Amino acid sequence: MSKSLPPARDEFEVSVFGPGLGECIVVHLGDNEWCVVDSFISRGASESIAAQYLRGFDNDALNRIRLIVATHWHDDHIRGLSQLVKLVPQASFACSDALNSSQFLTLAAAFSGPFSRSSGTDELGKILGAAEPAIAARPSKMKSPMWAGENRHLLTLPAVPGVRSHPVKIVALSPSDRTKMLALQEFANLTPSVGTSVRRLGRGGENHASVAIWIDTGNEYLILGADLEHVDDHQRGWRAVLNSHDSHRTNQRASFIKVPHHGSITGDAPEVWARMLVTNPVAVVTGYTPSRLPKPSDLKRLAQRTDRLFHTTIASTRTPARDPSVEKMMKMFSKDRKALIGRAGQVRMRWKPQAQFEPVIETFDGAAQFT
Amino acid sequence: MKPQESSSTFSHGQKAAENATWPNEPAQPKFRYSESLLTLAHQAPYELIPVAVPTNRVVTPTVPSDASSTPVPTDVFLIPPPKVISRGRTARFNTRQLWEGTVTEVRGDLSFVAELEDRTDPSNPVEVATFAPGELELDETEKQLIQVGASFYWIIGTERSSGGTVSMKSTVKFRRIPSWTRGQIQRAAELATAATQSLREAD
């Protein structure tokens, strides 16, 4: 099927894009209404991959984005998001509750503009209005941000006769209150002080404040795992999500998961697969080239959990060709060199609500099923 | 400058007679240079190199056939023209490839991972690579600059030594970067306060 063919009004879609550094998920919620989770800008492009994809449908899809979510502030999840928010001011914007703090806003303000060097804080600083006014993207008619926290409802769309038989609900699974507290400490530690060197902002520690998402389409459930990690603390990460799952989503099991944290072992919670997912779910993993994620061992582990495992960036991070003498020197002085951003692979799953879940799964631009 | 030994060629139309004889060394030989050569010799980047006169040979210059009536001077030595060499020829570096790097991860052994932006061909994708300080031959000052977020230049090029030897060379130079000022920190706090207020009003 053509990539630019839009889904039918009564059809659902989840598309996961990944070029090796960055990920973006576009979800069709039925009735030409859309949700975008995270963002990146492809090489040579001038806007978010989500905007590029939806413009390709030529059916006003871009203007029918209902919700834009920034799962967390790291560079690989957020490039192009401020531009997208500006482009679709009528859409709701949601980000982690931890970002609604003077600690984060100070950080965002400090690292916006000339010191940003494409930092994720720069994008969020623009959206939340903490960047210098001259570069702030926040339109005056933009809705107030929604602060995502554990089990917070982010969007509810009503049923539409003949098109959407059930209401669609989007719920944040994280961050927990304890996670938020730790994130605030981390932001304070990252805030620069007088006399320290001006450097690009580091990524900090764990992906504490990441917003994992649960989507209820009425017939099927989806988990978008963001970069949420699995830590030895029942009040944080996937343990906290599991603690509240049974009470908030009794007997609900998802048939799709965007694998958390690029398939890393640090985001792997076996209990999530046992208690929150159906047997043999569709799983999509995105790459993170700087850390060589997912590692071969990660893919092997995931493949033991499902035989429907897809990878957006399985072979698209080749380095550019250069003069042989320069190449020789590069190999002498550097190791494990890879192109950070390759082709933006896409895994697309479409399905119509029916008794048996029979999705059509397609891969584009270097994405593939892992076998 | 120390006089340069020379077994010397006789140039510019002069040539030694095949059956030259070898007289005693003259007491005070006279040196003759043309005016143009002297002028040239004192202009940068050239310099005049005194040439030692051979001590054991006499040169009989050839003369034009129609100048048979002209007496040939016997009290002079013909001096080869001054050897002209370029002054201060130093090593030259020709950049073939330049990256701007940013350190993204530092490991225990000070090896580090960095993102590399190609400044020679900006259309190339950003690359990521691992570096070991030992192989880069960084001095202690440079090593102290290896921190997450630090910025550096990586240059690969050809170096031509003063002797003319050409070799490939790799150099990594960390940037000395400015520090946060009180004004910048204060401005960030002001923007954060304004943003907090704006978000509360929007709620």
Side-chain angles (χ1 to χ4, degrees), chain B residues 1-201:
Chain B
M1 184 176 284
K2 186 181 177 184
Q4 185 174 331
E5 291 288 340
S6 173
S7 58
S8 227
T9 54
F10 299 88
S11 59
H12 295 279
Q14 309 284 358
K15 63 179 182 182
E18 287 182 0
N19 55 353
T21 57
W22 309 102
N24 294 329
E25 183 178 353
Q28 288 186 326
K30 296 175 184 176
F31 297 92
R32 290 182 178 175
Y33 294 105
S34 73
E35 282 299 314
S36 59
L37 272 177
L38 284 171
T39 306
L40 180 67
H42 288 96
Q43 285 177 347
Y46 305 106
E47 62 182 331
L48 183 65
I49 306 295
V51 178
V53 176
T55 56
N56 57 352
R57 68 169 66 182
V58 169
V59 176
T60 305
T62 57
V63 294
S65 56
D66 59 348
S68 55
S69 59
T70 307
V72 176
T74 57
D75 60 340
V76 298
F77 286 90
L78 289 176
I79 306 300
K83 192 171 182 177
V84 177
I85 62 169
S86 62
R87 172 190 282 172
R89 188 172 185 180
T90 54
R92 292 181 63 183
F93 189 81
N94 180 29
T95 301
R96 299 274 297 276
Q97 179 67 50
L98 170 68
W99 289 271
E100 186 173 356
T102 305
V103 178
T104 56
E105 182 187 340
V106 181
R107 295 172 182 160
D109 58 354
L110 269 188
S111 67
F112 61 92
V113 180
E115 290 179 15
L116 302 168
E117 294 175 49
D118 192 330
R119 295 293 182 219
T120 305
D121 184 355
S123 69
N124 277 333
V126 175
E127 292 165 80
V128 62
T130 305
F131 295 86
E135 291 170 5
L136 297 175
E137 296 175 358
L138 298 175
D139 60 30
E140 286 307 313
T141 316
E142 294 274 332
K143 282 180 187 171
Q144 286 173 9
L145 296 171
I146 302 175
Q147 293 179 32
V148 171
S151 182
F152 63 91
Y153 290 105
W154 183 23
I155 307 161
I156 289 177
T158 49
E159 187 177 77
R160 182 185 293 274
S161 71
S162 54
T165 309
V166 178
S167 59
M168 293 292 286
K169 193 169 181 181
S170 163
T171 307
V172 166
K173 282 285 169 198
F174 277 81
R175 289 170 69 183
R176 271 67 175 170
I177 43 183
S179 300
W180 287 97
T181 65
R182 197 170 298 281
Q184 287 164 342
I185 300 291
Q186 198 171 339
R187 179 62 181 152
E190 286 168 6
L191 286 167
T193 304
T196 305
Q197 195 169 343
S198 167
L199 290 167
R200 279 188 189 150
E201 285 168 4

Side-chain angles (χ1 to χ4, degrees), chain A residues 94-115:
Chain A
C95 62
S96 170
D97 195 17
L99 308 189
N100 183 17
S101 62
S102 61
Q103 289 92 332
F104 181 77
L105 292 170
T106 304
L107 196 65
F111 284 94
S112 67
F115 303 114

